[in-house]
């Protein structure tokens, strides 16, 4: 769910750092998926996979504790939440990886270099942002009405089921040219939702939002 | 003539020499690319978009370890017997919600097949697509399902309703312990029953502990007391399955350097709605319930969380049973949390002392609530035993007391009867035997006297024996208790020392110090004599690690505006080693080797010795390293370092073994300047992966990506951010992050970084200087100048600050002051190439082209690969009309730095000026490709394209065979005339064009009219192939024409100034300043030339130039 236009992730972070339980919960819920997904990808096939829950929790404990990194970030010392969160997760992950292996388990199989891990995180982050944008687009569509909902459906058919536009037009008994127009509009709506989501996580000027969007899309490609 | 836009190179100094910043990086802010949006849409709506759907079948079942004596059970939550979704839907009838928590709702249900009522816990709808929550939910069921004990609510079934997992469990009809406790009016009420409940809870938890499960959220709200008195522990949503062997095994193994089990706090879980005093389980925060939490859980110290966390929970329940309140009470949840984290139990202990319960029970409760986990009972079984013994003792005491009371009553009755009978008999016989009695009295008195003495002596002896026995027994009991205490103490010290050792190995001196302090305290209480050597060793190792940490901190902290010299760092390192007895300079190699080998921080010491190698008594250090760290690869590297054999270093660094070295050694290698930077990055990254919290490593790694370069800017930024996350209070880390952000064009964030750095160290001149540099880039010149002045005030010899001050002053138009600053910077640092270059720019702006060229050449001599200086000398030469030399300079700049858009653009202009239109087009296109925002390049490309079309028409026009019919042709031919130096023809073409359409004349952005005036003035001075023969009348007419055109432009610039807009004022200032210096207008501007003109004409021109001067003053920056 998107917060109000004046609210950014930093608003929430500052409140969370100041001890607001609601914002702490909100922050945890918002970024839990990213943290877990990154750790899951990082530790795929490794015994450390069993530690994902603990490591995820350790990330948030690290964030919330008195004098912890979130408090530092909340004070406006560290810009760029994505990079900041990545730093925290990476440190926690490495702490787990640095522990001696249990007697029975093989050594963790983790990505070979930090650049790989950074890209891994960027991809995970990008996926989460895209999913949030899709969710926002759905919510907006529910407010706008049937046409907008149909355009979301169109995107689902196109990308979830992999149907070409002409097949979708056939399925809907519609003129392919018209469906193409809907498709263009749906893409525009997605782009708008994406920029709005990015504005929450990565406040900045319009140009900076575009830049961040391009960087996220690059991470996915 | 008006030159195309030609921005000066602007340079600013950074914190360290040689780190001057180039012009801001430019970013294409164009719309999202169509193709890349497809990728986003696929990620957003594709099959694998968003969080993966939870799939029960994919989850690894949680298998608990077998308790002693149990037969093997295989739990298969996803067996074939599991109902499908539809079956589950048909089988269970749901009739309403019983309770709701953060993660799930508990519904009342009925199993139609079995005909029984049950409780159904269903994952809340909002978490249906959250695999992490779903997984925890199912794990709760799996854990509960495998805990087969009367004290654990049995789980019957697990399944799904649509996307939502559910599990069914016994419907316990009763109330929670929290409800029972809150219903009491007096904390002492109903105590026996409540203690019996606490015992049953302990027994249930003892079973769970035996199965390797800890609950982590024990509290009255999670204890259900059934209608038939059955007691069951509920809500296993936070439960954790410990690894095989559990914590204690691992603790025992810790001396063999294994880690202890880590348990953590989760972030989303079901929450109880009972209780007060901050008793709700918190969501999204430190997890568990603070009012009942042990300190290690509340502070998130996951390394210390084990079964004893539950022991604390049991103690907390006992505390509430005895005193009516949980251990921690506060006005807000935050206060409760803080108390829990600090283990602030003063209030709870006072309440327990005053509760009136038996001392034995209070002691048991207090031990459960011990802030240090090692002081608590090891698990719930010990608590259950203690509680059971106490309750049994109470029972026995009650029975004994009852028995003694009955015996006493019977004895009293018997005594009364006996006394009455005796009194009756005595009264009867008194009369009859009075005489005999009197006669026998004397004899009896003698006999009884003797017997009494013997009896009394016997009683006294028995009493003494009994007293002795009692004393002996008490002594023995005290000795046993003392021995037990000492044994416990010794065990605790041993455990603490093992933790300290682990912390030291991990380089965590802070944690090691805390644990060691606790160990010392416990050690002073006896029982740990055999650990005294261990404790001393760790004490010494801690001192060493702290010393080395301090050296690292020193190495990364600027002093007097620069990072400390390596030799000074080496001296400090040697002093640290000396204090620990491992410095071969002061100790023998044998002694030092013994010290290093025995140290827990051996790797750290070896690393310090490696860094000492180039600076100390090399032979001794080398010998020591050979003794304590014999390794063929590292030996070879050390030999190469000692021999200063750079080629060998490069070869060794390139080997695969380099990446497999311990982090300390990898850092040592990565720091070597002899190794190519690419390889150094790889080595340092490998080291960082293994030692992520090492600030020195991170800063060295970030410095491997030089500032002012696009390549590696992202990596540099990332490592700088990691350094900040590692050491938020390190000022150098903030300064470096600021530089990295500035390089990325993120100016506001860079400013925030520098302000943070200044907050941390207000006297750090580099931070003030860099802040000034960014503010200047943002156009905030006054603030920028203030920052630079502050930097100079703090460090008057800081050449970079003088240079940056010069840049800001030049931006304000204060050229003379700027030049003075550059000269000062050069005086302080004669080899400062950027200052020479910037001085050249300022001199060129003043029209002192030859002096400017000298400065640029000096900069190039100092830094031959300084591409911008090559570009700038090209500009100066072009301004002097030396086009071929200028072209050579531009080509040199491009060769050095192919991405330099400015040089491509300038080269295009030089080629265009030579008439090489096609070559110029190529260069303009290259400039646009490199910098799509360069509007000047686009304009010049348009000019070149127009000129290419008109290339052959100029001759025809001159021959009279071609007459341009459009203004585009007229203006294009005029530009050709400029190239061909046909000033008279050009002025005629411009006049025709303006007559046909005045609009181009009024367009100040292209300045056709100004160029036309220049051509007219030049032709009037008989410059140009077509002007050498002009008569006086035509020359006068041309000057008048030039005057009118300039006058018209001046009127427009005046209007621009009147708008008050900063951009318009700046443009006017730049243009009018150019008018004054433009050699094309020399014939109508220089005093000597004007003196030769007729009086009226001269006065007109003087008035015009006076007006220009007036406007320039008005446009000067404040």
């Amino acid at each position: 769910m998107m917060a109000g236009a004046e609210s950014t992730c930093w608003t929430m972070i500052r409140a969370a750092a100041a001890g607001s339980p609601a914002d702490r919960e909100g922050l945890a819920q918002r970024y839990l998926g990213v943290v877990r997904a990154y750790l899951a990808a990082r530790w795929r096939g490794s015994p450390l996979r069993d530690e994902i829950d603990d490591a995820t929790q350790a990330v948030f404990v690290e964030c919330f504790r008195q004098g912890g990194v979130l408090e530092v970030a909340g004070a406006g010392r560290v810009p760029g939440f994505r990079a900041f969160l990545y730093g925290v997760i990476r440190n926690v992950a490495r702490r787990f990886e640095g522990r001696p292996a249990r007697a029975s388990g093989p050594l963790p199989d983790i990505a070979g270099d930090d650049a790989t891990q950074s890209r891994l995180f960027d991809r995970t982050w990008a996926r989460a942002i895209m999913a949030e944008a899709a969710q926002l687009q759905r919510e907006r569509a529910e407010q706008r009405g049937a046409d907008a909902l149909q355009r979301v459906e169109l995107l689902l058919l196109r990308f979830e089921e992999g149907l070409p536009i002409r097949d979708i037009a056939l399925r809907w008994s519609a003129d392919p040219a018209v469906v193409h127009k809907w498709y263009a509009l749906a893409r525009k709506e997605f782009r708008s939702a994406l920029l709005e989501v990015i504005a929450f996580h990565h406040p900045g000027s319009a140009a900076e939002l575009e830049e961040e969007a391009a960087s996220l899309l690059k991470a996915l490609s | 003539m008006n030159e195309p836009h030609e921005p000066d190179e602007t340079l600013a100094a950074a914190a360290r020499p040689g780190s001057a910043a180039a012009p801001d990086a430019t970013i294409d802010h164009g719309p999202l690319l169509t193709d890349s949006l497809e990728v986003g849409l696929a990620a957003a709506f594709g099959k694998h978009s968003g969080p993966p759907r939870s799939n029960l079948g994919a989850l690894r079942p949680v298998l608990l370890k077998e308790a002693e004596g149990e037969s093997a059970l295989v739990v298969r939550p996803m067996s074939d017997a599991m109902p499908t979704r539809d079956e589950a839907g048909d089988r269970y009838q749901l009739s309403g919600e019983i309770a709701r928590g953060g993660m799930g709702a508990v519904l009342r249900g009925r199993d139609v097949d079995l005909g029984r009522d049950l409780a159904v816990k269903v994952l809340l709808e909002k978490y249906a697509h959250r695999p992490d929550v779903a997984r925890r939910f199912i794990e709760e069921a799996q854990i509960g399902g495998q805990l087969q004990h009367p004290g654990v609510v049995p789980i019957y079934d697990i399944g799904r309703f649509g996307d939502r997992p559910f599990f069914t469990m016994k419907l316990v009809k009763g109330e929670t312990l929290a409800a029972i406790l809150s219903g009491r009016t007096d904390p002492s009420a109903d105590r026996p029953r409540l203690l019996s409940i606490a015992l049953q809870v302990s027994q249930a938890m003892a079973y769970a502990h035996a199965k390797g499960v800890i609950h982590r959220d024990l509290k009255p709200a999670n204890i259900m007391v059934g209608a038939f008195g059955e007691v069951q522990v509920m809500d296993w949503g936070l439960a954790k399955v410990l690894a095989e062997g559990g914590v204690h095994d691992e603790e025992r193994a810790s001396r063999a350097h294994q880690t202890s089990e880590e348990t953590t706090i989760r972030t989303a879980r079901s929450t109880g709605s009972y209780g007060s005093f901050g008793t709700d389980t918190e969501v999204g925060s430190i997890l568990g319930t603070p009012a009942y939490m042990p300190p290690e859980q509340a502070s998130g110290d996951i390394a210390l969380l084990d079964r004893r966390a539950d022991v604390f929970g049991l103690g907390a329940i006992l505390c509430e049973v005895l005193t009516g309140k949980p251990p921690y009470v506060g006005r807000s949840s935050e206060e409760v949390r803080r108390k829990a984290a600090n283990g602030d139990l003063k209030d709870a202990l006072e309440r327990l002392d005053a509760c009136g319960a038996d001392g034995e029970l209070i002691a048991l409760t207090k031990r459960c609530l011990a802030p240090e986990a090692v002081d608590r009972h090891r698990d719930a079984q010990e608590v259950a035993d203690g509680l059971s013994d106490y309750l049994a003792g109470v029972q026995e005491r009650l029975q004994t007391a009852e028995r003694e009371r009955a015996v006493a009553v019977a004895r009293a009755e018997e005594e009364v009867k006996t006394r009455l009978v005796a009194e009756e008999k005595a009264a009867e016989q008194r009369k009859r035997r009075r005489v005999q009695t009197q006669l026998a009295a004397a004899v009896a008195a003698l006999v009884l006297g003797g017997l009494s003495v013997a009896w009394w002596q016997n009683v006294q002896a028995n009493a003494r024996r009994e007293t002795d026995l009692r004393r002996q027994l008490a002594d023995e009991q005290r000795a046993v208790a003392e021995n037990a205490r000492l044994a416990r103490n010794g065990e605790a010290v041993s455990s603490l020392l093992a933790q300290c050792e682990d912390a030291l190995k991990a380089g965590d001196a802070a944690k090691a110090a805390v644990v060691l302090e606790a160990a010392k305290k416990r050690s002073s209480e006896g029982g740990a004599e055999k650990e005294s050597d261990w404790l001393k060793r760790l004490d010494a190792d801690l001192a060493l690690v702290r010393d080395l940490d301090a050296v690292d901190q020193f190495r990364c902290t600027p002093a007097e505006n620069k990072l400390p010299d390596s030799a000074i760092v080496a001296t400090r390192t040697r002093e640290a080693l000396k204090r620990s007895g491992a410095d071969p300079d002061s100790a023998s190699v044998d002694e030092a080797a013994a010290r290093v080998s025995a140290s827990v921080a051996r790797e750290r010491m070896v690393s310090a010795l490696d860094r000492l190698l180039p600076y100390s008594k090399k032979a001794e250090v080398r010998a020591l390293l050979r003794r304590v760290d014999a390794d063929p690869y590292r030996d070879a590297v050390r030999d190469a370092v000692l021999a200063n054999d750079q080629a060998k270093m490069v070869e060794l660094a390139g080997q695969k073994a380099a990446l497999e070295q311990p982090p300390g050694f990898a850092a040592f290698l990565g720091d070597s300047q002899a190794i190519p930077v690419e390889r150094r990055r790889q080595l340092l990254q490998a080291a960082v992966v293994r030692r992520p919290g090492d600030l020195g490593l991170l800063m060295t790694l970030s410095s491997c990506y030089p500032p002012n370069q696009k390549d590696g800017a992202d990596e540099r930024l990332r490592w700088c951010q990691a350094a900040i996350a590692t050491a938020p209070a390190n000022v150098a880390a903030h300064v470096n992050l600021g530089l990295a952000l500035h390089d990325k064009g993120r100016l506001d964030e860079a400013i925030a970084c520098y302000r943070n750095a200044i907050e941390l160290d207000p006297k750090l001149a580099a931070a003030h200087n860099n802040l000034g540099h960014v503010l200047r880039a943002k156009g905030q010149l006054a603030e920028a100048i203030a920052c630079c002045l502050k930097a100079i005030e703090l460090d008057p010899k800081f050449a970079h600050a003088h240079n940056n001050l010069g840049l800001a002053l030049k931006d304000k138009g204060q050229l003379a002051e700027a030049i003075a600053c550059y000269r000062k910077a050069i005086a302080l640092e004669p080899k400062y190439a950027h200052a020479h270059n910037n001085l050249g720019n300022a001199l060129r702006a003043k029209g002192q082209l030859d002096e400017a060229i000298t400065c640029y050449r000096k900069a190039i001599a100092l830094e031959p690969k300084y591409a911008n200086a090559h570009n700038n000398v090209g500009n100066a030469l072009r301004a002097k009309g030396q086009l071929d030399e200028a072209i050579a300079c531009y080509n040199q700049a491009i060769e050095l730095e192919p991405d330099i858009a400015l040089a491509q653009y300038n080269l295009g202009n030089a080629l265009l000026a030579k008439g090489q239109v096609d070559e110029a087009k190529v260069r303009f296109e290259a400039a646009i490709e490199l910098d799509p925002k360069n509007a000047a390049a686009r304009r010049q490309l348009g000019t070149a394209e127009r000129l290419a079309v008109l290339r052959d028409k100029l001759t025809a026009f001159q021959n009279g065979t071609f007459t341009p019919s459009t203004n585009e042709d007229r203006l294009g031919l005029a530009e050709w005339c400029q190239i061909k130096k046909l000033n008279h023809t050009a002025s005629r073409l411009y006049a025709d064009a303006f007559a046909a359409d005045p609009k181009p004349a009024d367009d100040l952005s292209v300045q056709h009219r100004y160029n036309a005036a220049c051509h007219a003035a030049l032709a009037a001075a008989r410059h140009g192939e077509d002007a050498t023969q002009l008569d006086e009348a035509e020359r006068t007419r041309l000057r008048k024409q030039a005057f009118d055109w300039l006058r018209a432009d001046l009127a427009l610039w005046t209007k621009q100034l009147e708008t008050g807009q900063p951009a318009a004022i700046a443009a006017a200032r730049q243009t009018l300043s150019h008018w004054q210096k433009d050699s094309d207008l020399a014939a109508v501007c220089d005093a000597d030339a004007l003196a030769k003109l007729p009086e009226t004409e001269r006065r007109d021109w003087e008035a015009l130039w006076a007006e220009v001067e007036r406007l320039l003053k008005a446009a000067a920056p404040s």
Side-chain angles (χ1 to χ4, degrees), chain B residues 186-254:
Chain B
D186 177 1
S188 62
D190 213 6
R191 215 172 250 173
R193 177 188 165 219
L194 294 170
L195 289 173
S196 164
I197 290 170
L199 173 62
Q200 290 180 70
V201 173
S202 302
Q203 287 165 341
M205 286 314 303
Y207 167 78
H209 285 180
K211 299 277 278 181
V213 174
I214 57 175
H215 187 283
R216 302 198 289 189
D217 196 17
L218 284 176
K219 58 181 176 180
N222 283 340
I223 310 299
M224 182 62 91
V225 181
F228 302 104
E230 70 272 28
V231 174
Q232 287 174 321
V233 180
M234 305 191 304
D235 198 350
W236 295 79
L238 257 191
K240 168 82 180 172
V241 183
L242 296 173
E244 188 69 26
V247 171
H248 289 284
D249 289 354
E250 293 187 13
E251 273 177 4
R252 277 197 294 277
S254 65

Side-chain angles (χ1 to χ4, degrees), chain B residues 199 360-361 364 377 380-392:
Chain B
L199 173 62
E360 195 182 338
L361 181 59
L364 176 84
H377 301 282
Q381 186 61 57
E382 277 194 11
V383 181
D385 289 347
L387 208 48
S388 178
D389 286 350
Y390 167 74
L391 290 173

Side-chain angles (χ1 to χ4, degrees), chain B residues 689-705:
Chain B
V689 167
R690 280 173 285 171
R691 193 184 286 166
D694 190 321
L695 175 67
L697 260 179
L698 290 166
M699 287 180 63
T700 309
L701 182 52
S702 68
S703 71
C704 283
Y705 297 90

Side-chain angles (χ1 to χ4, degrees), chain B residues 907-918:
Chain B
L907 178 55
N909 280 325
L911 291 166
L912 197 60
K914 285 198 74 180
Q916 296 173 359
V917 177
D918 294 329

Side-chain angles (χ1 to χ4, degrees), chain A residues 155-213:
Chain A
L155 291 177
L156 283 168
L157 289 173
R158 176 77 191 84
F159 290 98
E160 193 176 46
E161 298 191 17
L163 292 178
I165 295 293
R166 64 176 177 284
D167 289 357
I168 298 170
L170 194 64
R171 182 182 284 198
W172 286 353
S173 305
D175 179 355
V178 173
V179 178
H180 267 294
K181 275 185 192 165
W182 292 343
Y183 179 56
L185 189 53
R187 286 164 50 88
K188 220 179 250 182
E189 285 165 345
F190 174 73
R191 182 177 175 282
S192 163
L194 178 60
L195 290 174
E196 194 174 331
V197 169
I198 290 171
F200 178 84
H201 293 279
H202 188 92
S205 66
E208 284 164 343
L209 297 185
E210 291 277 4
E211 188 193 347
E212 176 67 5

Side-chain angles (χ1 to χ4, degrees), chain B residues 409-447:
Chain B
V409 169
R411 192 174 288 149
E413 286 173 350
E414 190 60 29
E415 279 174 2
V416 170
K417 278 182 191 169
T418 307
R419 200 165 49 244
L420 286 173
V421 170
E423 280 175 2
E424 281 173 12
K425 279 183 181 175
E428 202 175 309
Q429 287 176 352
R430 241 188 330 262
K431 203 173 178 181
R432 281 204 313 259
R433 296 182 183 172
R434 186 170 295 137
V435 176
Q436 291 94 321
T437 303
Q438 287 171 345
L439 287 173
V443 178
L446 288 171
V447 174

Side-chain angles (χ1 to χ4, degrees), chain A residues 19 21 24-25 28-30 32-33 36 42 49-58 60-61 64-66 69 72 75-80 83-84 86-88 90-91 94-97 99-103 110-115 117-119 122 126-127 130-131 133-135 137-138 152 155-156 158-162 183 186-188 190-191 194-195 202 207-211 213-214 217-218 220-221, chain B residues 27-51 53 60 126-127 130-133 135-136 139 216 240 243 250 257-268 282-287 299-302 333-334 337-338 685 688-693 698 718-719 721-726 728 734 737 741 744-749 752-753 756 759-760:
Chain A
R24 286 183 171 199
E25 181 183 353
Q29 286 182 354
R30 184 176 283 275
L32 194 69
R36 276 192 59 84
R42 182 176 175 126
R49 189 171 166 72
D50 290 344
E51 305 289 339
I52 288 173
D53 281 345
D54 283 3
T56 303
Q57 292 153 15
F60 286 98
V61 167
F64 292 143
R65 78 174 173 205
Q66 201 168 19
V69 286
V72 175
R77 287 180 189 276
V78 187
F84 162 74
Y86 172 60
V88 176
R90 187 189 51 209
N91 283 346
R94 284 178 181 168
R95 211 159 67 215
F96 276 72
E97 287 155 6
R99 285 160 38 186
R102 297 234 168 86
I110 57 171
D113 58 81
D114 199 77
Q117 288 157 15
S118 168
R119 283 196 294 275
D122 287 348
R127 275 204 198 101
M130 297 305 153
Q135 180 59 26
Q137 188 178 2
R138 279 189 198 101
V152 173
L155 291 177
L156 283 168
R158 176 77 191 84
F159 290 98
E160 193 176 46
E161 298 191 17
Y183 179 56
R187 286 164 50 88
K188 220 179 250 182
F190 174 73
R191 182 177 175 282
L194 178 60
L195 290 174
H202 188 92
E208 284 164 343
L209 297 185
E210 291 277 4
E211 188 193 347
L217 293 168
K218 190 179 169 195
L220 286 171
S221 57
Chain B
I27 299 158
D28 182 11
H29 295 311
L32 299 179
L33 296 175
T34 307
D35 290 345
S36 39
L37 193 63
E38 296 286 320
V39 180
L41 283 160
F45 293 95
K47 278 179 182 158
H48 303 291
S49 63
R53 305 228 166 198
R60 198 169 56 82
K126 63 180 173 178
Y127 296 124
R130 286 273 299 277
D132 50 318
V133 183
R135 179 183 159 138
R136 289 295 310 174
E139 280 181 6
R216 302 198 289 189
K240 168 82 180 172
E250 293 187 13
H257 316 312
Q258 286 189 348
T259 53
S260 61
E261 173 63 21
E262 285 202 354
T263 312
T264 59
I265 302 166
R266 42 172 288 221
T267 50
E282 301 200 357
V283 180
S285 182
I286 301 279
L287 295 166
S299 60
D301 197 344
I302 54 175
S333 61
E334 192 55 36
R337 190 207 314 276
R338 200 167 47 249
Q685 283 187 24
V688 166
V689 167
R690 280 173 285 171
R691 193 184 286 166
L698 290 166
R718 190 173 299 132
W719 293 121
Q721 285 171 327
I724 292 269
T726 298
H734 285 275
L737 180 58
L741 287 164
K744 291 285 292 171
R746 290 157 64 174
L747 302 186
D748 289 332
E749 294 166 75
C753 278
N756 284 335
E759 196 180 310
L760 289 166

